[in-house]
mmCIF file of all heavy atoms in Angstrom:
data_model
loop_
_atom_site.group_PDB
_atom_site.id
_atom_site.type_symbol
_atom_site.label_atom_id
_atom_site.label_comp_id
_atom_site.label_asym_id
_atom_site.label_seq_id
_atom_site.Cartn_x
_atom_site.Cartn_y
_atom_site.Cartn_z
ATOM 1 N N GLY W 1 35.584 101.207 150.793
ATOM 2 C CA GLY W 1 37.031 101.164 150.803
ATOM 3 C C GLY W 1 37.692 99.935 150.305
ATOM 4 O O GLY W 1 38.930 99.752 150.253
ATOM 5 N N GLY W 2 36.832 98.852 150.172
ATOM 6 C CA GLY W 2 37.367 97.615 149.640
ATOM 7 C C GLY W 2 37.612 96.539 150.713
ATOM 8 O O GLY W 2 38.082 95.432 150.335
ATOM 9 N N THR W 3 37.255 96.806 151.932
ATOM 10 C CA THR W 3 37.324 95.778 152.946
ATOM 11 C C THR W 3 36.254 94.727 152.798
ATOM 12 O O THR W 3 35.116 95.074 152.731
ATOM 13 C CB THR W 3 37.308 96.430 154.339
ATOM 14 O OG1 THR W 3 38.361 97.380 154.433
ATOM 15 C CG2 THR W 3 37.503 95.340 155.473
ATOM 16 N N THR W 4 36.657 93.470 152.814
ATOM 17 C CA THR W 4 35.821 92.351 152.663
ATOM 18 C C THR W 4 35.683 91.482 153.883
ATOM 19 O O THR W 4 36.624 91.341 154.727
ATOM 20 C CB THR W 4 36.159 91.487 151.487
ATOM 21 O OG1 THR W 4 37.467 90.954 151.724
ATOM 22 C CG2 THR W 4 36.164 92.356 150.173
ATOM 23 N N THR W 5 34.468 90.793 154.033
ATOM 24 C CA THR W 5 34.216 89.837 155.105
ATOM 25 C C THR W 5 33.382 88.686 154.522
ATOM 26 O O THR W 5 32.529 88.948 153.696
ATOM 27 C CB THR W 5 33.461 90.567 156.264
ATOM 28 O OG1 THR W 5 34.113 91.637 156.792
ATOM 29 C CG2 THR W 5 33.216 89.461 157.421
ATOM 30 N N TYR W 6 33.829 87.534 154.896
ATOM 31 C CA TYR W 6 33.082 86.313 154.335
ATOM 32 C C TYR W 6 32.593 85.415 155.474
ATOM 33 O O TYR W 6 33.202 85.278 156.493
ATOM 34 C CB TYR W 6 34.093 85.518 153.479
ATOM 35 C CG TYR W 6 34.567 86.226 152.259
ATOM 36 C CD1 TYR W 6 35.724 86.918 152.222
ATOM 37 C CD2 TYR W 6 33.850 86.112 151.068
ATOM 38 C CE1 TYR W 6 36.181 87.587 151.080
ATOM 39 C CE2 TYR W 6 34.232 86.776 149.880
ATOM 40 C CZ TYR W 6 35.427 87.576 149.915
ATOM 41 O OH TYR W 6 35.864 88.204 148.720
ATOM 42 N N ALA W 7 31.537 84.707 155.166
ATOM 43 C CA ALA W 7 31.103 83.609 156.071
ATOM 44 C C ALA W 7 32.187 82.530 155.822
ATOM 45 O O ALA W 7 32.785 82.302 154.831
ATOM 46 C CB ALA W 7 29.742 83.145 155.591
ATOM 47 N N GLU W 8 32.244 81.702 156.929
ATOM 48 C CA GLU W 8 33.269 80.618 156.890
ATOM 49 C C GLU W 8 33.012 79.681 155.704
ATOM 50 O O GLU W 8 33.978 79.147 155.094
ATOM 51 C CB GLU W 8 33.195 79.835 158.162
ATOM 52 C CG GLU W 8 33.846 80.585 159.326
ATOM 53 C CD GLU W 8 35.369 80.867 159.115
ATOM 54 O OE1 GLU W 8 36.062 79.981 158.560
ATOM 55 O OE2 GLU W 8 35.818 81.958 159.555
ATOM 56 N N SER W 9 31.731 79.444 155.400
ATOM 57 C CA SER W 9 31.387 78.535 154.245
ATOM 58 C C SER W 9 31.836 79.022 152.942
ATOM 59 O O SER W 9 31.900 78.292 151.986
ATOM 60 C CB SER W 9 29.905 78.258 154.298
ATOM 61 O OG SER W 9 29.167 79.409 154.111
ATOM 62 N N ALA W 10 32.039 80.374 152.849
ATOM 63 C CA ALA W 10 32.354 80.969 151.517
ATOM 64 C C ALA W 10 33.845 81.185 151.290
ATOM 65 O O ALA W 10 34.281 81.390 150.178
ATOM 66 C CB ALA W 10 31.584 82.303 151.394
ATOM 67 N N LYS W 11 34.620 81.205 152.376
ATOM 68 C CA LYS W 11 36.041 81.542 152.345
ATOM 69 C C LYS W 11 36.782 80.458 151.417
ATOM 70 O O LYS W 11 36.543 79.374 151.529
ATOM 71 C CB LYS W 11 36.698 81.555 153.695
ATOM 72 C CG LYS W 11 36.216 82.678 154.546
ATOM 73 C CD LYS W 11 36.891 82.630 155.988
ATOM 74 C CE LYS W 11 36.538 83.805 156.786
ATOM 75 N NZ LYS W 11 37.151 83.729 158.238
ATOM 76 N N GLY W 12 37.641 81.128 150.494
ATOM 77 C CA GLY W 12 38.339 80.275 149.636
ATOM 78 C C GLY W 12 37.520 79.868 148.322
ATOM 79 O O GLY W 12 38.254 79.417 147.384
ATOM 80 N N ARG W 13 36.280 80.043 148.318
ATOM 81 C CA ARG W 13 35.515 79.704 147.125
ATOM 82 C C ARG W 13 34.846 80.884 146.514
ATOM 83 O O ARG W 13 34.686 80.907 145.247
ATOM 84 C CB ARG W 13 34.441 78.617 147.441
ATOM 85 C CG ARG W 13 35.059 77.332 147.977
ATOM 86 C CD ARG W 13 33.922 76.330 148.154
ATOM 87 N NE ARG W 13 32.859 76.714 149.056
ATOM 88 C CZ ARG W 13 31.547 76.810 148.768
ATOM 89 N NH1 ARG W 13 31.191 76.473 147.476
ATOM 90 N NH2 ARG W 13 30.685 77.125 149.641
ATOM 91 N N PHE W 14 34.358 81.831 147.277
ATOM 92 C CA PHE W 14 33.661 82.985 146.792
ATOM 93 C C PHE W 14 34.528 84.176 146.905
ATOM 94 O O PHE W 14 35.391 84.278 147.776
ATOM 95 C CB PHE W 14 32.376 83.289 147.636
ATOM 96 C CG PHE W 14 31.399 82.184 147.526
ATOM 97 C CD1 PHE W 14 31.492 81.022 146.776
ATOM 98 C CD2 PHE W 14 30.138 82.305 148.229
ATOM 99 C CE1 PHE W 14 30.563 80.046 146.640
ATOM 100 C CE2 PHE W 14 29.150 81.334 148.106
ATOM 101 C CZ PHE W 14 29.308 80.151 147.310
ATOM 102 N N ALA W 15 34.260 85.145 146.041
ATOM 103 C CA ALA W 15 34.982 86.390 146.058
ATOM 104 C C ALA W 15 34.033 87.607 145.764
ATOM 105 O O ALA W 15 33.295 87.568 144.780
ATOM 106 C CB ALA W 15 36.098 86.481 145.057
ATOM 107 N N ILE W 16 33.953 88.572 146.645
ATOM 108 C CA ILE W 16 33.108 89.709 146.455
ATOM 109 C C ILE W 16 33.986 90.906 145.950
ATOM 110 O O ILE W 16 35.098 91.054 146.470
ATOM 111 C CB ILE W 16 32.350 90.081 147.791
ATOM 112 C CG1 ILE W 16 31.264 91.170 147.493
ATOM 113 C CG2 ILE W 16 33.287 90.484 148.865
ATOM 114 C CD1 ILE W 16 30.363 91.306 148.689
ATOM 115 N N SER W 17 33.413 91.660 145.049
ATOM 116 C CA SER W 17 34.053 92.834 144.614
ATOM 117 C C SER W 17 32.992 93.909 144.249
ATOM 118 O O SER W 17 31.824 93.623 144.133
ATOM 119 C CB SER W 17 34.906 92.524 143.346
ATOM 120 O OG SER W 17 34.133 92.019 142.270
ATOM 121 N N GLY W 18 33.516 95.161 144.111
ATOM 122 C CA GLY W 18 32.531 96.207 143.886
ATOM 123 C C GLY W 18 33.180 97.306 142.846
ATOM 124 O O GLY W 18 34.357 97.399 142.732
ATOM 125 N N ASP W 19 32.263 98.022 142.279
ATOM 126 C CA ASP W 19 32.604 99.139 141.459
ATOM 127 C C ASP W 19 31.913 100.321 142.036
ATOM 128 O O ASP W 19 30.761 100.548 141.878
ATOM 129 C CB ASP W 19 32.159 98.895 140.004
ATOM 130 C CG ASP W 19 32.651 99.913 139.061
ATOM 131 O OD1 ASP W 19 32.751 101.083 139.472
ATOM 132 O OD2 ASP W 19 32.726 99.635 137.852
ATOM 133 N N ASN W 20 32.714 101.235 142.699
ATOM 134 C CA ASN W 20 32.076 102.345 143.378
ATOM 135 C C ASN W 20 31.497 103.321 142.367
ATOM 136 O O ASN W 20 30.425 103.932 142.678
ATOM 137 C CB ASN W 20 33.193 103.131 144.140
ATOM 138 C CG ASN W 20 33.610 102.369 145.382
ATOM 139 O OD1 ASN W 20 32.847 101.547 145.984
ATOM 140 N ND2 ASN W 20 34.867 102.674 145.847
ATOM 141 N N ALA W 21 32.074 103.510 141.210
ATOM 142 C CA ALA W 21 31.570 104.414 140.270
ATOM 143 C C ALA W 21 30.154 104.000 139.767
ATOM 144 O O ALA W 21 29.298 104.879 139.433
ATOM 145 C CB ALA W 21 32.441 104.567 139.072
ATOM 146 N N LYS W 22 29.853 102.681 139.647
ATOM 147 C CA LYS W 22 28.660 102.196 139.229
ATOM 148 C C LYS W 22 27.703 101.761 140.305
ATOM 149 O O LYS W 22 26.624 101.304 140.005
ATOM 150 C CB LYS W 22 28.933 100.961 138.255
ATOM 151 C CG LYS W 22 29.604 101.274 137.012
ATOM 152 C CD LYS W 22 29.876 100.084 136.177
ATOM 153 C CE LYS W 22 30.692 100.412 134.916
ATOM 154 N NZ LYS W 22 30.912 99.140 134.101
ATOM 155 N N ASN W 23 28.134 101.864 141.547
ATOM 156 C CA ASN W 23 27.357 101.405 142.684
ATOM 157 C C ASN W 23 26.887 99.949 142.465
ATOM 158 O O ASN W 23 25.678 99.663 142.504
ATOM 159 C CB ASN W 23 26.242 102.302 142.982
ATOM 160 C CG ASN W 23 26.565 103.678 143.605
ATOM 161 O OD1 ASN W 23 27.493 103.698 144.342
ATOM 162 N ND2 ASN W 23 25.895 104.720 143.191
ATOM 163 N N THR W 24 27.837 99.098 142.157
ATOM 164 C CA THR W 24 27.583 97.739 141.739
ATOM 165 C C THR W 24 28.422 96.849 142.564
ATOM 166 O O THR W 24 29.619 97.175 142.772
ATOM 167 C CB THR W 24 27.760 97.502 140.219
ATOM 168 O OG1 THR W 24 26.921 98.383 139.466
ATOM 169 C CG2 THR W 24 27.529 96.076 139.893
ATOM 170 N N VAL W 25 27.891 95.738 142.934
ATOM 171 C CA VAL W 25 28.705 94.681 143.679
ATOM 172 C C VAL W 25 28.511 93.341 142.935
ATOM 173 O O VAL W 25 27.497 93.077 142.316
ATOM 174 C CB VAL W 25 28.196 94.593 145.097
ATOM 175 C CG1 VAL W 25 26.856 94.002 145.226
ATOM 176 C CG2 VAL W 25 29.200 93.720 145.956
ATOM 177 N N TYR W 26 29.572 92.580 143.026
ATOM 178 C CA TYR W 26 29.616 91.194 142.330
ATOM 179 C C TYR W 26 29.961 90.177 143.286
ATOM 180 O O TYR W 26 30.630 90.377 144.324
ATOM 181 C CB TYR W 26 30.659 91.169 141.204
ATOM 182 C CG TYR W 26 30.517 92.309 140.226
ATOM 183 C CD1 TYR W 26 31.181 93.507 140.318
ATOM 184 C CD2 TYR W 26 29.683 92.209 139.117
ATOM 185 C CE1 TYR W 26 31.080 94.528 139.443
ATOM 186 C CE2 TYR W 26 29.568 93.241 138.196
ATOM 187 C CZ TYR W 26 30.208 94.374 138.410
ATOM 188 O OH TYR W 26 30.109 95.399 137.406
ATOM 189 N N LEU W 27 29.545 88.918 143.076
ATOM 190 C CA LEU W 27 29.850 87.787 143.876
ATOM 191 C C LEU W 27 30.275 86.668 142.961
ATOM 192 O O LEU W 27 29.408 86.112 142.266
ATOM 193 C CB LEU W 27 28.726 87.400 144.771
ATOM 194 C CG LEU W 27 29.050 86.208 145.721
ATOM 195 C CD1 LEU W 27 30.161 86.632 146.737
ATOM 196 C CD2 LEU W 27 27.764 85.577 146.415
ATOM 197 N N GLN W 28 31.569 86.382 142.876
ATOM 198 C CA GLN W 28 32.096 85.354 142.029
ATOM 199 C C GLN W 28 32.046 84.039 142.928
ATOM 200 O O GLN W 28 32.693 84.041 143.954
ATOM 201 C CB GLN W 28 33.484 85.537 141.564
ATOM 202 C CG GLN W 28 34.157 84.472 140.812
ATOM 203 C CD GLN W 28 33.451 84.292 139.443
ATOM 204 O OE1 GLN W 28 33.090 85.215 138.709
ATOM 205 N NE2 GLN W 28 33.103 83.003 139.083
ATOM 206 N N MET W 29 31.353 83.022 142.475
ATOM 207 C CA MET W 29 31.141 81.823 143.193
ATOM 208 C C MET W 29 31.758 80.639 142.444
ATOM 209 O O MET W 29 31.290 80.289 141.317
ATOM 210 C CB MET W 29 29.645 81.590 143.518
ATOM 211 C CG MET W 29 28.985 82.651 144.284
ATOM 212 S SD MET W 29 27.328 82.254 144.773
ATOM 213 C CE MET W 29 26.521 82.169 143.136
ATOM 214 N N ASN W 30 32.827 80.017 142.961
ATOM 215 C CA ASN W 30 33.480 78.935 142.432
ATOM 216 C C ASN W 30 33.323 77.629 143.181
ATOM 217 O O ASN W 30 32.978 77.745 144.410
ATOM 218 C CB ASN W 30 34.987 79.193 142.146
ATOM 219 C CG ASN W 30 35.196 80.406 141.269
ATOM 220 O OD1 ASN W 30 34.561 80.611 140.313
ATOM 221 N ND2 ASN W 30 36.284 81.178 141.631
ATOM 222 N N SER W 31 33.563 76.524 142.670
ATOM 223 C CA SER W 31 33.579 75.290 143.347
ATOM 224 C C SER W 31 32.217 75.099 144.111
ATOM 225 O O SER W 31 32.184 74.697 145.246
ATOM 226 C CB SER W 31 34.702 75.069 144.294
ATOM 227 O OG SER W 31 35.977 75.215 143.576
ATOM 228 N N LEU W 32 31.126 75.380 143.434
ATOM 229 C CA LEU W 32 29.786 75.368 144.020
ATOM 230 C C LEU W 32 29.363 74.007 144.482
ATOM 231 O O LEU W 32 29.661 72.974 143.851
ATOM 232 C CB LEU W 32 28.781 75.943 143.034
ATOM 233 C CG LEU W 32 28.767 77.505 142.904
ATOM 234 C CD1 LEU W 32 28.009 77.845 141.679
ATOM 235 C CD2 LEU W 32 28.172 78.100 144.162
ATOM 236 N N LYS W 33 28.666 73.922 145.675
ATOM 237 C CA LYS W 33 28.215 72.757 146.264
ATOM 238 C C LYS W 33 26.695 72.740 146.346
ATOM 239 O O LYS W 33 26.118 73.776 146.374
ATOM 240 C CB LYS W 33 28.844 72.578 147.659
ATOM 241 C CG LYS W 33 30.330 72.640 147.715
ATOM 242 C CD LYS W 33 30.802 72.668 149.118
ATOM 243 C CE LYS W 33 32.369 72.761 149.245
ATOM 244 N NZ LYS W 33 32.783 72.785 150.662
ATOM 245 N N PRO W 34 26.077 71.592 146.360
ATOM 246 C CA PRO W 34 24.575 71.506 146.529
ATOM 247 C C PRO W 34 24.106 72.332 147.761
ATOM 248 O O PRO W 34 23.084 72.912 147.698
ATOM 249 C CB PRO W 34 24.302 70.040 146.681
ATOM 250 C CG PRO W 34 25.391 69.409 145.927
ATOM 251 C CD PRO W 34 26.581 70.210 146.127
ATOM 252 N N GLU W 35 24.898 72.418 148.801
ATOM 253 C CA GLU W 35 24.494 73.097 149.962
ATOM 254 C C GLU W 35 24.525 74.666 149.775
ATOM 255 O O GLU W 35 24.107 75.419 150.650
ATOM 256 C CB GLU W 35 25.334 72.813 151.196
ATOM 257 C CG GLU W 35 26.871 72.834 150.908
ATOM 258 C CD GLU W 35 27.427 71.429 150.646
ATOM 259 O OE1 GLU W 35 26.783 70.692 149.927
ATOM 260 O OE2 GLU W 35 28.488 71.091 151.202
ATOM 261 N N ASP W 36 25.046 75.109 148.646
ATOM 262 C CA ASP W 36 25.069 76.553 148.307
ATOM 263 C C ASP W 36 23.679 76.946 147.674
ATOM 264 O O ASP W 36 23.402 78.161 147.511
ATOM 265 C CB ASP W 36 26.142 76.899 147.234
ATOM 266 C CG ASP W 36 27.559 76.715 147.910
ATOM 267 O OD1 ASP W 36 27.712 77.099 149.099
ATOM 268 O OD2 ASP W 36 28.380 76.267 147.187
ATOM 269 N N THR W 37 22.849 75.938 147.429
ATOM 270 C CA THR W 37 21.528 76.264 146.791
ATOM 271 C C THR W 37 20.745 77.139 147.758
ATOM 272 O O THR W 37 20.537 76.767 148.936
ATOM 273 C CB THR W 37 20.758 74.984 146.539
ATOM 274 O OG1 THR W 37 21.509 74.151 145.556
ATOM 275 C CG2 THR W 37 19.354 75.261 145.998
ATOM 276 N N ALA W 38 20.237 78.292 147.209
ATOM 277 C CA ALA W 38 19.530 79.217 148.036
ATOM 278 C C ALA W 38 19.021 80.345 147.108
ATOM 279 O O ALA W 38 19.524 80.502 146.009
ATOM 280 C CB ALA W 38 20.381 79.745 149.209
ATOM 281 N N VAL W 39 18.232 81.248 147.702
ATOM 282 C CA VAL W 39 17.955 82.499 147.011
ATOM 283 C C VAL W 39 18.974 83.519 147.658
ATOM 284 O O VAL W 39 19.161 83.647 148.869
ATOM 285 C CB VAL W 39 16.540 82.960 147.419
ATOM 286 C CG1 VAL W 39 16.287 84.492 146.758
ATOM 287 C CG2 VAL W 39 15.498 81.995 146.817
ATOM 288 N N TYR W 40 19.657 84.181 146.770
ATOM 289 C CA TYR W 40 20.709 85.158 147.165
ATOM 290 C C TYR W 40 20.221 86.533 147.035
ATOM 291 O O TYR W 40 19.704 86.936 145.964
ATOM 292 C CB TYR W 40 21.943 84.921 146.267
ATOM 293 C CG TYR W 40 22.815 83.740 146.633
ATOM 294 C CD1 TYR W 40 22.332 82.462 146.415
ATOM 295 C CD2 TYR W 40 24.029 83.846 147.280
ATOM 296 C CE1 TYR W 40 23.008 81.281 146.706
ATOM 297 C CE2 TYR W 40 24.771 82.691 147.594
ATOM 298 C CZ TYR W 40 24.248 81.411 147.380
ATOM 299 O OH TYR W 40 25.057 80.347 147.706
ATOM 300 N N TYR W 41 20.395 87.370 148.078
ATOM 301 C CA TYR W 41 19.908 88.652 148.296
ATOM 302 C C TYR W 41 20.985 89.625 148.318
ATOM 303 O O TYR W 41 21.880 89.504 149.165
ATOM 304 C CB TYR W 41 18.912 88.804 149.447
ATOM 305 C CG TYR W 41 17.721 87.960 149.423
ATOM 306 C CD1 TYR W 41 17.586 86.676 149.941
ATOM 307 C CD2 TYR W 41 16.518 88.459 148.772
ATOM 308 C CE1 TYR W 41 16.443 85.891 149.989
ATOM 309 C CE2 TYR W 41 15.383 87.662 148.794
ATOM 310 C CZ TYR W 41 15.383 86.459 149.323
ATOM 311 O OH TYR W 41 14.220 85.749 149.351
ATOM 312 N N CYS W 42 20.954 90.717 147.516
ATOM 313 C CA CYS W 42 21.866 91.780 147.591
ATOM 314 C C CYS W 42 21.376 92.809 148.545
ATOM 315 O O CYS W 42 20.135 93.025 148.675
ATOM 316 C CB CYS W 42 22.033 92.411 146.201
ATOM 317 S SG CYS W 42 23.166 93.876 146.189
ATOM 318 N N ASN W 43 22.231 93.414 149.257
ATOM 319 C CA ASN W 43 21.836 94.536 150.224
ATOM 320 C C ASN W 43 22.793 95.657 150.139
ATOM 321 O O ASN W 43 23.979 95.495 149.769
ATOM 322 C CB ASN W 43 21.655 94.062 151.657
ATOM 323 C CG ASN W 43 22.970 93.678 152.264
ATOM 324 O OD1 ASN W 43 23.494 92.594 152.102
ATOM 325 N ND2 ASN W 43 23.450 94.520 153.180
ATOM 326 N N ALA W 44 22.368 96.859 150.524
ATOM 327 C CA ALA W 44 23.262 98.017 150.462
ATOM 328 C C ALA W 44 22.805 98.973 151.585
ATOM 329 O O ALA W 44 21.637 99.187 151.811
ATOM 330 C CB ALA W 44 23.153 98.765 149.106
ATOM 331 N N HIS W 45 23.847 99.497 152.346
ATOM 332 C CA HIS W 45 23.684 100.523 153.317
ATOM 333 C C HIS W 45 24.018 101.847 152.708
ATOM 334 O O HIS W 45 25.154 101.961 152.350
ATOM 335 C CB HIS W 45 24.495 100.185 154.571
ATOM 336 C CG HIS W 45 24.235 101.087 155.698
ATOM 337 N ND1 HIS W 45 25.142 101.949 156.206
ATOM 338 C CD2 HIS W 45 23.101 101.251 156.519
ATOM 339 C CE1 HIS W 45 24.606 102.589 157.229
ATOM 340 N NE2 HIS W 45 23.399 102.174 157.374
ATOM 341 N N LEU W 46 23.033 102.707 152.524
ATOM 342 C CA LEU W 46 23.297 103.952 151.753
ATOM 343 C C LEU W 46 22.495 105.108 152.288
ATOM 344 O O LEU W 46 21.512 104.922 153.036
ATOM 345 C CB LEU W 46 22.993 103.666 150.222
ATOM 346 C CG LEU W 46 21.578 103.217 149.871
ATOM 347 C CD1 LEU W 46 20.648 104.460 149.660
ATOM 348 C CD2 LEU W 46 21.658 102.416 148.565
ATOM 349 N N GLN W 47 22.972 106.236 151.852
ATOM 350 C CA GLN W 47 22.188 107.506 152.075
ATOM 351 C C GLN W 47 21.788 108.086 150.701
ATOM 352 O O GLN W 47 22.655 108.322 149.846
ATOM 353 C CB GLN W 47 23.102 108.499 152.756
ATOM 354 C CG GLN W 47 22.334 109.794 153.186
ATOM 355 C CD GLN W 47 23.272 110.781 153.920
ATOM 356 O OE1 GLN W 47 24.405 111.037 153.500
ATOM 357 N NE2 GLN W 47 22.672 111.428 155.034
#
């Protein structure tokens, strides 16, 4: 339905969006910091 939730460290810098028709999610990351270095994992709760 488009409701979003962010970690405090991501608020104001990252934006998550989705395309329901394509079952695809995006994460736009701006103003990246060295502490953002990590392996990023996508997850989905589905039937």
Side-chain angles (χ1 to χ4, degrees):
T3 302
T4 59
T5 303
Y6 295 93
E8 287 297 323
S9 61
K11 290 181 179 178
R13 299 189 299 124
F14 295 1
I16 188 169
S17 61
D19 186 331
N20 288 333
K22 297 180 179 179
N23 288 324
T24 300
V25 68
Y26 307 93
L27 184 67
Q28 179 67 47
M29 303 187 293
N30 300 322
S31 302
L32 283 163
K33 306 173 182 179
E35 50 262 45
D36 295 318
T37 296
V39 177
Y40 284 70
Y41 296 93
C42 177
N43 71 282
H45 187 246
L46 59 86
Q47 186 182 41

